[in-house]
C-alpha cells in the first residue's frame, strides 16, 4: 500500500500494556466470556452472547486513561493511517448521501483483553466493533495470526480487516445494524442468517472503501487486491470450521463462506457504489 502521504488519524486509543481491567457495575463476567468463546467455536457470533448478557445496553467498566500510540511504533502508525483513509473516504461518501454527517469511530489497540461497552473484549474473538461505544477493538497479534495460521499476509490484508470493522460502524450510523438487532430479537432462529448478511455487507463496504480511496489518493499497489481476496477467503466460515473441526455446519455460519466473502468484497471494490452492497435485498449471496 502507498500510505506515505496518508494522514494519521487522531482517533486511535492505545491500551496496550494496561492489562485487562474487568469490573464495575454492569460488566460482563468471566462466565459470559467463556460462553462467548464456546459460541465462537460452534460458529455463533460471540458478540450476540455478549450483547444478550449485557442486556443490549452500554455498561460501566473500569479502564485506563486513553493515550495515543508512540510515534516510533510503525505498526500503530500503519493502523492510524488506514483509519485516517477510512475517515476521509466515508466522510466524503456521507456528504453525498446528504442525510447525516459521518462521525469517526475510535479504534482501540489492546493486548489480550479490554473492557468495552459491549462486555469484555478478548483477543481470541479477533477484531470487532462495539456499537454501544462506537469503537473498533484490535489486538494486533491478530495480524500475526493472519500471516502464520491463515496464510493471509500483507499490509492490504490487514487494511481490509480494519475497513471491514469500520464497515460495521457505517452500518451502525445508517441504522442497518439496529434494524438487524430488532429482527434478531423478533426471530431468533434467523439470527445467524442475518449475521451473515450483515458481515457480507461489511465486506462489500470494505471493498467500496478501497475503490474510493484508491481513486482519490492512489493507495493500492500491485498485489494488494490479491492480498485482500486471500484474507477474505481465509476467514470464511466454511474454511474456518473445516480447519478447526474437520467438517462444516452451514446453519451455524455467521460471517459467510469464503466464496461469499470474496464475492461481496469484489462487488464493492469493482463498483465503488454503496447501492451494490445491499446484501439484505439479494436473493443469492
Amino acid at each position: 500500500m502507498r500510505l506515505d502521504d496518508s494522514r494519521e488519524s487522531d482517533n486511535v486509543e492505545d491500551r496496550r500494556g494496561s492489562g485487562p481491567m474487568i469490573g464495575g457495575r454492569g460488566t460482563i463476567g468471566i462466565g459470559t466470556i467463556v460462553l462467548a468463546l464456546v459460541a465462537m467455536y460452534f460458529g455463533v457470533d460471540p458478540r450476540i452472547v455478549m450483547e444478550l448478557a449485557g442486556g443490549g445496553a452500554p455498561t460501566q467498566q473500569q479502564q485506563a486513561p486513553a493515550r495515543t500510540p508512540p510515534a516510533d511504533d510503525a505498526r500503530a502508525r500503519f493502523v492510524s493511517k488506514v483509519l485516517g483513509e477510512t475517515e476521509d473516504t466515508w466522510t466524503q461518501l456521507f456528504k453525498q448521501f446528504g442525510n447525516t454527517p459521518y462521525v469517526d469511530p475510535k479504534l482501540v489497540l489492546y493486548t489480550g483483553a479490554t473492557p468495552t461497552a459491549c462486555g469484555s473484549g478478548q483477543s481470541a474473538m479477533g477484531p470487532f466493533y462495539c456499537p454501544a461505544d462506537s469503537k473498533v477493538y484490535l489486538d494486533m497479534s491478530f495480524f500475526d495470526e493472519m500471516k502464520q495460521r491463515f496464510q493471509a499476509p500483507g499490509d492490504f490484508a490487514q487494511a481490509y480487516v480494519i475497513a471491514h470493522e469500520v464497515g460495521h460502524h457505517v452500518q451502525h450510523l445508517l441504522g442497518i445494524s439496529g434494524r438487524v438487532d430488532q429482527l434478531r430479537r423478533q426471530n431468533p432462529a434467523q439470527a445467524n442468517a442475518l449475521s451473515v448478511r450483515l458481515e457480507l455487507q461489511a465486506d462489500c463496504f470494505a471493498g467500496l472503501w478501497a475503490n474510493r480511496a484508491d481513486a482519490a489518493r492512489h493507495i493500492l499497489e500491485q498485489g494488494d487486491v490479491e492480498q485482500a481476496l486471500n484474507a477474505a477467503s481465509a476467514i470464511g466460515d466454511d474454511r474456518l470450521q473445516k480447519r478447526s473441526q474437520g467438517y462444516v455446519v452451514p446453519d451455524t455460519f455467521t460471517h459467510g463462506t469464503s466464496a461469499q466473502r470474496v464475492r461481496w468484497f469484489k462487488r464493492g471494490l469493482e463498483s465503488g457504489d454503496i447501492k451494490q452492497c445491499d446484501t439484505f435485498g439479494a436473493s443469492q449471496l
Side-chain angles (χ1 to χ4, degrees):
M1 292 184 70
R2 298 187 187 96
L3 296 176
D4 291 343
D5 296 329
S6 298
R7 69 175 183 84
E8 294 184 40
S9 171
D10 295 324
N11 292 305
V12 177
E13 178 183 336
D14 192 358
R15 296 184 190 171
R16 294 172 298 169
S18 61
M21 291 182 286
I22 306 172
R25 186 170 61 87
T27 60
I28 298 299
I30 296 298
T32 301
I33 296 171
V34 173
L35 286 176
L37 294 176
V38 172
M40 180 177 66
Y41 179 82
F42 285 102
V44 178
D45 190 338
R47 285 171 292 187
I48 296 175
V49 177
M50 293 167 64
E51 289 168 4
L52 290 175
T59 61
Q60 301 296 320
Q61 298 203 5
Q62 302 171 10
Q63 64 184 55
R67 65 176 187 268
T68 57
D72 60 350
D73 188 330
R75 298 183 80 185
R77 290 191 65 196
F78 169 80
V79 170
S80 296
K81 287 191 173 190
V82 172
L83 185 63
E85 285 289 343
T86 67
E87 291 168 352
D88 294 345
T89 297
W90 284 109
T91 295
Q92 186 61 37
L93 282 168
F94 268 59
K95 287 180 180 178
Q96 295 176 14
F97 300 159
N99 296 325
T100 182
Y102 182 69
V103 179
D104 297 338
K106 296 284 186 180
L107 190 151
V108 178
L109 299 176
Y110 73 99
T111 303
T114 193
T116 83
C118 297
S120 177
Q122 301 287 315
S123 59
M125 295 162 51
F128 64 95
Y129 172 72
C130 175
D133 57 19
S134 297
K135 292 182 178 181
V136 173
Y137 290 87
L138 171 65
D139 184 329
M140 286 195 291
S141 66
F142 182 76
F143 293 157
D144 299 325
E145 189 175 13
M146 286 177 62
K147 178 180 179 180
Q148 297 165 9
R149 181 182 176 190
F150 301 123
Q151 289 77 53
D155 53 1
F156 192 62
Q158 297 172 7
Y160 152 71
V161 169
I162 297 170
H164 172 93
E165 297 306 330
V166 171
H168 286 309
H169 178 64
V170 172
Q171 291 171 324
H172 174 60
L173 294 180
L174 295 178
I176 297 170
S177 54
R179 291 193 293 272
V180 169
D181 287 341
Q182 184 178 15
L183 290 172
R184 282 172 176 160
R185 291 191 291 270
Q186 293 173 349
N187 192 353
Q190 291 297 311
N192 283 357
L194 289 166
S195 290
V196 167
R197 291 182 183 269
L198 197 69
E199 296 294 337
L200 293 179
Q201 186 177 64
D203 281 332
C204 190
F205 284 173
L208 187 158
W209 159 74
N211 174 294
R212 294 300 187 98
D214 187 55
R217 291 173 290 280
H218 308 293
I219 66 170
L220 298 184
E221 296 180 299
Q222 185 175 359
D224 281 348
V225 172
E226 288 76 14
Q227 289 179 8
L229 295 177
N230 182 44
S233 177
I235 54 179
D237 283 327
D238 54 342
R239 190 163 169 180
L240 291 177
Q241 287 189 1
K242 184 71 173 179
R243 182 186 183 94
S244 65
Q245 61 194 25
Y247 58 92
V248 299
V249 185
D251 288 344
T252 66
F253 289 174
T254 58
H255 286 66
T257 67
S258 293
Q260 288 171 336
R261 300 200 70 167
V262 167
R263 184 181 307 125
W264 283 96
F265 175 81
K266 288 179 66 177
R267 189 163 182 170
L269 178 66
E270 293 171 356
S271 70
D273 181 3
I274 197 169
K275 295 178 181 178
Q276 296 299 314
C277 293
D278 183 11
T279 55
F280 296 93
S283 57
Q284 288 188 324
L285 296 176

